[in-house]
Amino acid sequence: MKKILFLIALCFNSLLCVSQEKTLQEHKDGTKWYLLKDDKTYGALDQDGNVLVPLSKGFNYVSYYHADNTDRGFFDVQKGDFHGIYDKSGNEIISTERGYSMIVYQVTNDGYKYFGVTKNDKDGACDLKGKEIVPPNIMLLLIMEIALGLILMRTLKNG
């Protein structure tokens, strides 16, 4: 009986492994990682097999992008209609649960880096640690200059 249960468990485990795809990805910045796909769910592993983006979170999209001339890179994830961000070490920076329909890495003319976010067709901004620095409640946000910790911005109103 134990042998039969063991064989059933072994077969079930084999089926799970077969259904999961693992594809090596290489970005032009030299970052190599594995894209995981299990049915309609995506995740990411580093080359050593460490989880960067958990498959268990149920993301329907995972993509890596290199942010600037540093070693900074991010994973853009999507669950349903909402986006989130993970760093190269596998830390969740911005959760999809925040409800952002778009997240874009931005750099101002003076070098300030942030994520531009959109929620309910309104724009805002998060710092690179994921802290919301400008709530998404204006129609269009242009961060023009950062000086002494003060965010100077101009909003353009519709119409």
Side-chain angles (χ1 to χ4, degrees), residues 23-134:
T23 310
L24 181 63
Q25 306 288 310
E26 184 170 1
H27 193 270
K28 61 184 176 184
D29 73 349
T31 299
K32 294 180 182 178
W33 58 283
Y34 288 100
L35 177 66
L36 298 177
K37 183 180 182 213
D38 186 11
D39 194 27
K40 296 178 183 176
T41 304
Y42 292 84
L45 300 175
D46 68 13
Q47 285 188 289
D48 296 323
N50 299 311
V51 175
L52 299 175
V53 177
L55 193 63
S56 62
K57 290 276 195 160
F59 297 124
N60 52 297
Y61 173 84
V62 173
S63 181
Y64 172 82
Y65 66 96
H66 184 73
D68 50 34
N69 292 331
T70 67
D71 66 349
R72 184 176 291 123
F74 300 98
F75 288 94
D76 176 24
V77 299
Q78 185 176 354
K79 187 172 188 178
D81 294 331
F82 302 124
H83 288 263
I85 299 290
Y86 280 76
D87 68 14
K88 283 173 57 169
S89 298
N91 300 307
E92 184 179 51
I93 296 173
I94 299 175
S95 171
T96 55
E97 293 177 12
R98 289 198 195 174
Y100 297 137
S101 58
M102 186 168 65
I103 302 174
V104 179
Y105 179 79
Q106 301 283 340
V107 181
T108 62
N109 289 339
D110 63 349
Y112 182 76
K113 299 166 179 118
Y114 67 99
F115 292 107
V117 297
T118 302
K119 182 176 185 176
N120 299 325
D121 295 325
K122 307 250 172 139
D123 295 329
C126 292
D127 67 16
L128 296 184
K129 293 181 181 177
K131 180 181 177 191
E132 200 170 80
I133 53 176
V134 178

